[in-house]
Amino acid sequence: MSRTAQPFARHLSIMLASTAMIVGYSQMTATAAEPTAAAKPAATAPAGENPMLAPWTGPFEGVPPWDKMDPELFPDAFTKGMAETRAQVQAVIDNPAAPTFENTHVPMMLAGDTMERLFALWGVQTSNKSNDRVEDIDAEWSPKLTTFYTELFLEPKLFARYKAVYDKRNSSGLNAQQIRIVERSYDEMVRDGANLSPANKAKLVELNSKLEGLFSAFSSKLLGDEKLYTFVTDKAELAGLEPGFVASLASAAESQGKPGQWAIKNTRSSAQPVMQGATNRGLRERVYKAFVSRGDNGDANDTNSTIVEILKLRQQRAELLGFPTHANYRMADTMAKTPEAAMGLMMKVWPAAVARVKEEVADMQAIADAEAKAGNGPKITIEPWDYRFYSEKVRKAKYDLDESEVKPYLQLDKLRDAMFWSAGQLYDLGFRENTGTIPVFDPKVRTFEVYNLKTNENVGVFYLDNFARDGKRSGAWMTTYRSQQTLGGERNVLASNNNNFTEAAKGEPTLISLDDAQTLFHEFGHGIHYLLQHVYYPALAGVPRDFVEYPSQVNENWLMTPEVLSKYATHYKTGQPMPQALVDKILASDKFNQGFSTVEYLSSAIVDMKLHDRKTPPADVDKFERETLAEIGMPKEIVMRHRLPQFGHLFSSDAYSAGYYSYLWSETMDADTWAAFTEAGGPWDRSVADKFRTILLMTGNETDRAEAYRAFRGRDPDVKALLKKRGFPTE
């Protein structure tokens, strides 16, 4: 479930959500209303200006100059961009007029365009196109940038202006949205240290700066381990793997200077197919151990000591800010509000998931025992590197379904068309490919103009970076390079989805697994949220963290609808649609292996919360992980989806720390939302889709998201819908 939005600009996480400068990090966005694709080109940059700072030019209100991106340009750009930002904020502070919403909040929301563009570029440089030099620059500048923004927004005179507006909010003629901005801005400033003494403010600056350096170090170490390969010299060891995947491993080995071998990269997209299909148990074990040991090998890339320091500093910061734990601090502005509420939901699901795992393991062990008895293999006990392999055998036995039967029908390009078509049916979004007409940061990136199918108005541009490569971080994520806002003039959206699929050998279509197809639809759900959201004030665009995954998880549901499968799940050789008998098998097995997927994810979320909801951080991360898993009864046949030494969600930034639970929180709403479509007569019901779009997707954070959900559904989400969806007991 490493399906995250907001992959970059970690240094902005400590800034006010009420400023436009954090748009590139946490703002969810919406459609623009520009009449043509080429409307409103940005101004041309002065001669000699650093191109990383220049206004974006070209069509679609200007597009990022990826063709001019150079790591060496960023230090100068950061220096100049910070100076410009400081001057913009200082102008607000120095305004001699009495503080008002219009002369304080509005200019702050309009400030920082240059840095916003710069962080969009730097985010791609660090996440999609990293190298040793980029890592060095990031290590040097992340702490500097964090110090800059922390000091800037702890400025007493700035807080005094916000407080003055806050104190008169109910008597100055503000509307409901303006009052919400004033209250949320003030609360966040207080929560992030505005009332601290000068000495404690200095300490906060130091803590944030040190943390940013550690986040950069963690990311660099993890990327180092994910650059490694398991090499295979005997093709016979690859028995059971699909020919196309084997060919891609041969290409990878050749690119690593080892022609005639096969290279399995130490990332999920390469390791998981081996775990699932390789008949050679020794190979499965080698690949598994390399993958789950990332960051935990006692070498230069070991992350354990880095994590220990991060945990110490987080707890010190929480206590400095008046919170008992880091979890309490991070959850103050979420839907769940408290660690207890998040744990309460997780523990409602955990026992049923563990019970299901026991059933799944028993089914797998029975097959393994039968094979040994028949002389078709040695007697074994199911281990973690066996789970995916033997679960496929159980799937075949129970449902006559083999993943290898399904994959030939899952062509990446066809499924991309499917997700675009679905967005058109539900939300009137259209996509026209324009690859080659605007700059991209890698030749494999494809681009699409996004427009409204009914009005033909431009919505923005969608960038799609699908394939794994050296220098690209693992996982899948979505972000925007420019986000919608109406204040200051309507802006269109430049959105991007990033995956790590293994590209097929030259001339062959890329086939992906059903799990990868769900990832594709999931990330696109984030994209839809960005493209549809339409707010006036950017301060009301960023949704709570435990709402962020909700639209993406809802969007996964359309993948398996008959309409999508019949049109787009076609065999890569024959062009024939997936046979109905095969579709029926897939649907019949929909709840298959839910014990594994739930425990794999939920163990990570529970460990995250227990790690951060404590006053004394652990000094031994591995020991804490082992003891916590033993305490909750973690099945020995499964490993956490993200072990702590490689848990980038938690330690490459603060973004999902004490927040990995949010996938489950969001999925509870997702299951209940899908039930709303089912109750209305089907997945394409436009009345439900229109309510979903107008009440929840378009409105950002204009109102409390729990209230918005109640307006959509008529009640709070029911966890029984989630349990039912996963096939767990509802009583």
Side-chain angles (χ1 to χ4, degrees):
M1 290 211 179
S2 55
R3 306 167 185 171
T4 62
Q6 303 114 338
F8 57 84
R10 296 183 306 269
H11 34 272
L12 297 184
S13 64
I14 49 83
M15 292 176 57
L16 289 177
S18 60
T19 71
M21 284 174 278
I22 66 163
V23 170
Y25 175 68
S26 64
Q27 181 166 306
M28 303 296 288
T29 55
T31 53
E34 293 303 317
T36 65
K40 295 172 64 176
T44 303
E49 182 175 340
N50 187 325
M52 299 299 93
L53 293 170
W56 295 348
T57 59
F60 308 109
E61 302 178 28
V63 293
W66 304 117
D67 52 335
K68 297 175 182 171
M69 191 165 67
D70 180 347
E72 300 302 335
L73 294 172
F74 282 100
D76 171 71
F78 289 141
T79 300
K80 293 175 179 175
M82 287 192 293
E84 178 185 291
T85 299
R86 186 185 299 279
Q88 292 169 334
V89 174
Q90 194 63 46
V92 175
I93 293 172
D94 292 343
N95 189 333
T100 65
F101 182 85
E102 291 298 325
N103 69 20
T104 301
H105 286 271
V106 169
M108 287 296 289
M109 283 187 279
L110 291 174
D113 274 356
T114 297
M115 288 300 280
E116 179 190 329
R117 293 193 305 272
L118 181 59
F119 286 136
L121 297 168
W122 185 239
V124 166
Q125 188 73 80
T126 55
S127 294
N128 303 67
K129 299 285 289 184
S130 188
N131 55 40
D132 291 344
R133 178 58 180 148
V134 171
E135 291 174 19
D136 289 343
I137 295 172
D138 190 48
E140 177 186 356
W141 278 91
S142 288
K144 292 180 180 179
L145 289 161
T146 296
T147 296
F148 169 75
Y149 282 113
T150 305
E151 290 178 340
L152 194 65
F153 288 96
L154 289 176
E155 166 58 49
K157 292 179 180 178
L158 180 64
F159 178 58
R161 293 191 71 88
Y162 274 79
K163 186 176 186 306
V165 179
Y166 174 83
D167 289 342
K168 295 181 179 180
R169 66 193 183 282
N170 294 319
S171 59
S172 51
L174 301 180
N175 63 32
Q177 287 193 14
Q178 292 166 339
I179 290 175
R180 182 167 172 80
I181 291 169
V182 169
E183 291 179 343
R184 286 178 56 77
S185 300
Y186 176 79
D187 288 346
E188 186 163 358
M189 291 185 89
V190 171
R191 188 164 61 245
D192 284 341
N195 278 331
L196 293 176
S197 67
N200 281 339
K201 284 182 179 179
K203 181 164 180 138
L204 179 61
V205 170
E206 181 185 7
L207 288 172
N208 280 336
S209 178
K210 286 182 177 178
L211 278 166
E212 201 59 45
L214 290 167
F215 296 154
S216 179
F218 176 92
S219 298
S220 179
K221 289 177 178 181
L222 181 57
L223 186 59
D225 267 5
E226 290 178 342
K227 290 177 181 176
L228 302 178
Y229 291 82
T230 297
F231 288 95
V232 175
T233 57
D234 182 358
K235 191 175 183 180
E237 288 190 60
L238 303 175
L241 301 180
E242 296 172 353
F245 181 64
V246 172
S248 72
L249 300 183
S251 297
E254 188 167 355
S255 71
Q256 293 299 307
K258 295 192 176 184
Q261 297 187 31
W262 295 263
I264 302 165
K265 196 172 185 182
N266 203 17
T267 60
R268 191 177 303 277
S269 60
S270 291
Q272 193 160 299
V274 177
M275 295 296 97
Q276 188 166 301
T279 58
N280 187 306
R281 193 178 190 225
L283 177 64
R284 295 202 307 269
E285 183 176 359
R286 283 171 59 204
V287 171
Y288 164 85
K289 287 184 174 179
F291 182 69
V292 303
S293 297
R294 289 168 297 149
D296 197 25
N297 294 302
D299 55 14
N301 288 330
D302 193 283
T303 63
N304 283 280
S305 61
T306 305
I307 293 170
V308 168
E309 289 304 307
I310 289 173
L311 295 173
K312 285 180 183 177
L313 296 179
R314 279 176 171 166
Q315 183 58 22
Q316 290 175 27
R317 180 179 60 185
E319 293 177 3
L320 183 68
L321 294 169
F323 293 89
T325 68
H326 177 73
N328 291 100
Y329 166 60
R330 288 293 298 158
M331 296 186 68
D333 188 31
T334 62
M335 296 181 74
K337 302 297 184 188
T338 66
E340 292 76 20
M343 283 296 295
L345 174 62
M346 290 191 284
M347 297 315 295
K348 284 181 181 178
V349 178
W350 178 255
V354 171
R356 181 56 52 84
V357 165
K358 292 178 181 177
E359 296 172 6
E360 292 170 1
V361 170
D363 288 341
M364 291 187 289
Q365 190 65 58
I367 288 180
D369 290 346
E371 289 179 344
K373 187 175 182 180
N376 295 325
K379 183 169 179 57
I380 67 166
T381 299
I382 298 296
E383 298 285 354
W385 50 89
D386 299 315
Y387 207 113
R388 291 182 183 275
F389 180 74
Y390 277 94
S391 69
E392 285 304 306
K393 290 177 176 283
V394 174
R395 192 199 306 262
K396 177 71 174 173
K398 283 194 170 185
Y399 304 101
D400 192 26
L401 179 64
D402 190 325
E403 176 78 15
S404 63
E405 293 180 73
V406 179
K407 201 168 183 178
Y409 293 92
L410 301 180
Q411 301 177 65
L412 178 58
D413 285 350
K414 290 279 191 180
L415 291 172
R416 178 206 62 219
D417 293 342
M419 69 187 194
F420 288 167
W421 178 82
S422 300
Q425 296 298 303
L426 293 162
Y427 312 117
D428 300 317
L429 290 175
F431 296 80
R432 285 190 285 254
E433 184 160 14
N434 62 347
T435 301
T437 65
I438 59 176
V440 292
F441 50 83
D442 186 271
K444 299 292 176 65
V445 174
R446 299 174 74 168
T447 62
F448 303 83
E449 176 193 352
V450 188
Y451 63 99
N452 185 291
L453 287 170
K454 289 185 175 178
T455 66
N456 205 38
E457 289 179 333
N458 175 248
V459 174
V461 178
F462 181 71
Y463 294 74
L464 191 56
D465 183 16
N466 271 331
F467 300 116
R469 61 175 168 271
D470 286 345
K472 184 178 182 182
R473 74 179 183 88
S474 63
W477 68 95
M478 188 273 164
T479 193
T480 59
Y481 308 137
R482 179 171 62 228
S483 301
Q484 178 271 340
Q485 68 186 59
T486 302
L487 180 69
E490 191 72 55
R491 307 194 313 182
N492 67 5
V493 179
L494 304 180
S496 119
N497 274 183
N498 308 269
N499 297 297
N500 269 286
F501 302 137
T502 300
E503 188 177 15
K506 188 174 181 180
E508 295 293 324
T510 295
L511 305 179
I512 60 177
S513 67
L514 193 56
D515 184 68
D516 283 342
Q518 289 167 339
T519 296
L520 187 73
F521 269 64
H522 176 103
E523 295 307 330
F524 188 57
H526 285 304
I528 289 170
H529 192 185
Y530 276 70
L531 292 163
L532 288 179
Q533 196 164 355
H534 198 280
V535 299
Y536 186 84
Y537 293 112
L540 294 177
V543 297
R545 182 183 50 200
D546 43 13
F547 187 93
V548 165
E549 298 299 332
Y550 166 48
S552 55
Q553 288 176 300
V554 171
N555 200 62
E556 291 182 39
N557 290 284
W558 278 281
L559 170 63
M560 292 306 300
T561 57
E563 293 82 358
V564 165
L565 293 178
S566 62
K567 286 173 64 74
Y568 297 101
T570 58
H571 197 281
Y572 78 103
K573 286 184 177 178
T574 67
Q576 293 298 307
M578 185 181 290
Q580 188 58 47
L582 182 55
V583 174
D584 291 342
K585 290 179 187 178
I586 295 172
L587 295 176
S589 67
D590 182 51
K591 297 176 177 60
F592 174 73
N593 227 32
Q594 283 295 325
F596 172 82
S597 60
T598 305
V599 164
E600 184 193 44
Y601 154 72
L602 201 49
S603 58
S604 300
I606 293 171
V607 169
D608 164 37
M609 191 59 68
K610 286 181 173 290
L611 184 69
H612 288 107
D613 188 27
R614 51 187 286 133
K615 289 183 177 294
T616 305
D620 185 332
V621 173
D622 279 344
K623 181 181 178 184
F624 176 85
E625 179 184 295
R626 289 192 306 271
E627 291 180 349
T628 303
L629 293 175
E631 173 193 329
I632 64 175
M634 177 73 165
K636 67 178 180 62
E637 298 86 1
I638 298 181
V639 70
M640 296 164 62
R641 185 168 182 86
H642 305 287
R643 291 193 55 237
L644 291 177
Q646 64 236 201
F647 210 158
H649 289 76
L650 308 190
F651 304 119
S652 62
S653 74
D654 277 328
Y656 276 78
S657 58
Y660 201 60
Y661 79 90
S662 60
Y663 286 92
L664 187 69
W665 193 273
S666 292
E667 193 174 355
T668 302
M669 295 187 288
D670 152 38
D672 197 52
T673 297
W674 193 243
F677 277 95
T678 303
E679 293 161 10
W684 307 100
D685 187 279
R686 277 299 296 250
S687 63
V688 178
D690 287 345
K691 284 181 66 179
F692 182 49
R693 173 177 55 85
T694 57
I695 296 174
L696 290 165
L697 297 181
M698 289 182 64
T699 54
N701 202 12
E702 290 179 339
T703 60
D704 180 89
R705 293 296 83 190
E707 293 176 6
Y709 190 89
R710 284 190 286 271
F712 164 67
R713 197 69 168 100
R715 54 167 173 73
D716 289 327
D718 186 353
V719 71
K720 288 183 179 180
L722 172 64
L723 295 171
K724 182 179 179 182
K725 183 178 180 180
R726 295 201 170 208
F728 299 159
T730 57
E731 299 297 337

